[in-house]
């Protein structure tokens, strides 16, 4: 083993040691911290899987449209199928922490913003996290841009934004009877949420057909088979027919395996597409199972401590700064990415003297706890650590300073992703992956928007790279 | 570092996308392969691990052979022959 490889191994053990030490030390201070430790270690699993499988939602449709590579679409669909299956077991045993989001066309628009941004940025919200763990400075800038954009977007107030709010949103928002500390009649985002989004039904496929999510028919048949497996299989058939079939049959013929355009050849082609990137498929499988198990563990800890939200444990420990008007903090109970990034910035700006607890996002639903006590923030740290561990283990860690060109794309892409994730109340993980896998049609609507946004983003990149390459080719 | 696309010799081209993140390396590689003639070789230098997976699958889909794969740490130098 060469010296630089040994150095990587040493760094890898240092990351593991830091996370282990933080877990043990905080547990010794108070056993409530095991709640945060659970988030940390699931974050580590997510980070390791993402880095190992080069698992980035951005590349799913971007690489398909741009270079005809379907591996990531396959990985995501596999992951969601396994997550849905584990989730249905967890839900039917009443151990799920999932809450369905409102279902409306606004999710398609939000997905469009997000999809466009993730292509420009070079990575989705979770992809940028794992790439930061690989040492990419551009990915770190993406995270910063998403975080600041979200934090500012939810807090903008004033007449100029209120003029953009339809009267019906305003009337509906003020009629919700929110705590007086929340200035719900002022600011675009609050009136959008309370006056528009919250009026849409929070449904799942099970509830659409009149079955509770916890019932066997609801959890397994409707939320999993109808809501995830069938649509995922159809997406893969579409991808196979449009991008893979022609090349597969051509190769099959060249290899002397006969013309074989019958059903058997197509089944073989479909299967070869699924197994083409074992690395991505395996990461998807583990991610899916881990995401389902994560909900079970968090619910178990809530039952153990007799709570519904980590804010209650914070109050018991005497840490009340940054709690919402309901005494809660952002505690999703499953994998989430963008909300905690906005909380970081929200906490910093509050410390700088800017009041931001009077809006719904910070003041009513998520809070701005000290990052040391923020469970979701620790999940992000775990994810960064997990990606870093895997990158160091495979000697793929490298500090990469962003160029001005990449910084421009990172900030611009992060801006669009920040807007999209607030409009959808989640990103590619929270608004798409989690919701789809739990039978919430809202996730598919976000996905449709993401595909449209990614398509537009690819168009922009095709134009930009074509111009640059033509300039280089002038020399020969 | 800015992207470089050079002609190194007869039928040999060099694409340097070091420092670039997704989707730049794979898009530049695809476009460069479209520009060169059949039988020509394209050397691609990149350091974005996820692009390795995408470029590899892209070449397979296009029926193009990657004749040499060198990797030192997170830096990849691949030779792709357009067939």
């Amino acid at each position: 083993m060469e010296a630089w490889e040994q150095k990587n191994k040493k760094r890898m053990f240092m990351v593991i040691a830091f996370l282990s030490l933080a877990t043990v030390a905080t547990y010794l201070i108070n056993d409530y911290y095991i709640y945060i430790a659970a988030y940390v270690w699931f974050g580590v699993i997510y980070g390791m899987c993402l880095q190992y499988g080069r698992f980035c939602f951005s590349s799913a449709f971007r690489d398909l449209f741009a270079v005809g590579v379907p591996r990531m679409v396959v990985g995501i669909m596999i992951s969601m199928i396994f997550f849905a299956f584990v989730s249905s077991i967890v839900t039917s045993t009443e151990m799920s922490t999932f809450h369905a989001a409102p279902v409306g066309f606004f999710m398609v628009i939000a997905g469009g913003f997000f999809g466009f941004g993730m292509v420009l940025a070079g990575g989705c919200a979770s992809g940028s996290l794992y790439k930061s763990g690989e040492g990419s400075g551009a990915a770190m800038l993406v995270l910063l841009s998403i975080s600041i954009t979200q934090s500012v977007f939810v807090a903008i107030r004033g007449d100029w934004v209120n003029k953009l709010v339809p009267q019906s949103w305003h009337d509906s928002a003020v009629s919700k009877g929110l705590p007086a500390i929340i200035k719900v009649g002022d600011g675009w985002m609050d009136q959008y949420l309370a006056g528009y989004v919250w009026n849409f039904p929070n449904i799942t496929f099970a509830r659409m057909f009149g079955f509770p999510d916890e019932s066997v028919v609801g959890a397994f048949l409707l939320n999993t088979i109808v809501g995830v497996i069938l649509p995922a299989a159809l997406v893969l058939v579409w991808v196979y027919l449009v991008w893979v079939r022609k090349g597969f049959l051509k190769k099959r013929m060249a290899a002397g395996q006969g013309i074989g355009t019958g059903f058997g050849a197509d089944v073989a082609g479909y299967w070869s597409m699924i197994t083409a990137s074992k690395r991505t498929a395996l990461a998807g499988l583990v991610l899916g199972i881990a995401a389902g198990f994560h909900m079970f563990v968090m619910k178990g800890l809530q039952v153990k401590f007799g709570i519904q939200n980590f804010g209650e444990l914070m109050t018991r420990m005497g840490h009340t700064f940054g709690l919402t008007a309901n005494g809660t903090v952002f505690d999703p109970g499953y994998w989430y990415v963008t909300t905690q990034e906005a909380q970081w910035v929200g906490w910093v700006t509050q410390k700088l003297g800017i009041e931001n607890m009077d809006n719904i996002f910070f003041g009513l639903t998520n809070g701005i706890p000290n990052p040391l006590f923020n469970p979701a923030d620790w999940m992000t740290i775990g994810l960064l650590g997990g990606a870093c561990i895997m990158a160091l283990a495979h000697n793929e860690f490298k500090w990469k300073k962003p160029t001005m060109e990449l910084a421009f794309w990172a900030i611009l892409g992060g801006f669009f992703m920040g807007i999209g994730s607030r409009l959808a109340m989640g990103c590619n993980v929270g608004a798409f992956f989690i919701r789809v896998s739990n039978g919430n049609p809202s996730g598919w609507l976000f996905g449709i928007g993401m595909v449209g946004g990614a398509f537009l983003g690819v168009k922009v990149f095709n134009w930009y790279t074509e111009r640059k390459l033509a300039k280089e080719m002038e020399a020969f | 570092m800015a992207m470089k696309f050079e002609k190194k010799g007869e039928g040999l081209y060099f694409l340097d996308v070091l420092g670039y993140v997704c989707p730049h390396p794979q898009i530049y590689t695809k476009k460069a392969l479209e520009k060169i003639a059949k039988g020509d070789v394209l050397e691609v230098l990149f350091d974005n691990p996820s692009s390795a997976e995408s470029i590899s699958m892209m070449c397979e889909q296009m029926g193009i052979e990657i004749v040499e794969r060198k990797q030192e740490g997170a830096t990849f130098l691949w030779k792709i022959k357009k067939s």
Side-chain angles (χ1 to χ4, degrees), chain A residues 400-433:
Chain A
K400 278 179 279 185
K401 201 176 134 191
T403 57
M404 285 301 282
E405 182 193 359
L406 286 183
F408 167 77
W409 289 115
I411 292 167
L412 188 66
F415 169 78
F416 280 106
M417 279 199 279
I419 300 285
S421 53
R422 273 317 93 223
L423 294 178
M425 300 159 293
C427 60
N428 56 292
V429 173
F432 177 66
F433 182 69

Side-chain angles (χ1 to χ4, degrees), chain A residues 54 62-63 66-68 71 122 276-277 395-396 398 400 403 405-406 461-462 465-466 468-469 472 476, chain B residues 1 4-5 19-20 22-24 26-28 30-31 35 47 50 53-54 57-58 60-61 73-75:
Chain A
R54 284 78 160 93
R62 179 199 66 209
D63 281 3
V67 293
R71 74 166 180 101
S277 177
N395 297 311
E396 290 178 345
K398 184 179 176 185
K400 278 179 279 185
T403 57
E405 182 193 359
L406 286 183
F461 255 120
N462 269 336
T465 49
E466 191 66 43
K468 282 196 73 181
L469 212 61
E472 287 290 300
F476 54 90
Chain B
M1 266 177 293
K4 280 186 217 137
F5 183 44
Y20 278 86
C22 288
H24 300 263
Q26 50 265 48
I27 292 188
Y28 279 124
K30 182 171 189 260
K31 288 192 181 293
K35 309 283 181 207
D47 56 2
S50 57
E53 200 79 10
S54 296
M57 289 202 71
M58 177 183 80
E60 208 186 311
Q61 294 273 103
T75 304

Side-chain angles (χ1 to χ4, degrees), chain B:
Chain B
M1 266 177 293
M3 180 275 294
K4 280 186 217 137
F5 183 44
E6 298 165 349
K7 186 170 184 176
K8 281 176 88 176
E10 206 44 55
L12 182 62
Y13 295 85
F14 178 61
L15 175 67
D16 178 354
V17 276
L18 266 186
Y20 278 86
V21 294
C22 288
H24 300 263
Q26 50 265 48
I27 292 188
Y28 279 124
T29 304
K30 182 171 189 260
K31 288 192 181 293
L33 283 168
E34 285 167 358
K35 309 283 181 207
I36 65 176
K38 276 186 181 175
D40 288 351
V41 171
L42 175 71
E43 288 182 344
V44 188
L45 183 66
F46 62 103
D47 56 2
N48 185 46
S50 57
S51 293
E53 200 79 10
S54 296
I55 293 171
S56 177
M57 289 202 71
M58 177 183 80
C59 291
E60 208 186 311
Q61 294 273 103
M62 295 166 81
I64 292 176
E65 194 189 355
I66 301 173
V67 289
E68 194 179 306
R69 297 171 196 245
K70 280 188 190 163
Q71 183 183 350
E72 194 170 308
T75 304
F76 302 77
L77 178 64
W78 287 7
K79 276 188 188 173
I80 305 170
K81 186 171 184 182
K82 185 172 177 180
S83 48

Side-chain angles (χ1 to χ4, degrees), chain A residues 43 64 81 191 209 254 267 277 297 315-316 331 365 393 430 443 450 457 463 466:
Chain A
L64 199 61
I81 288 170
Q191 295 178 84
F209 290 95
V267 171
S277 177
V297 169
T315 306
R316 286 184 206 170
D331 176 15
T365 55
M450 268 204 306
W463 166 80
E466 191 66 43

Side-chain angles (χ1 to χ4, degrees), chain A residues 349-360:
Chain A
T349 48
Q350 166 86 211
K351 289 289 172 196
L352 293 173
I354 300 167
E355 181 49 50
N356 53 7
M357 286 294 275
D358 54 1
N359 63 63
I360 290 175

Side-chain angles (χ1 to χ4, degrees), chain A residues 81 84-85 88 218-231 437 439:
Chain A
I81 288 170
F85 183 67
S88 58
F220 289 91
L221 180 67
L222 296 169
N223 281 351
T224 301
I225 296 178
V226 175
V228 184
I229 297 178
L230 287 179
S437 307

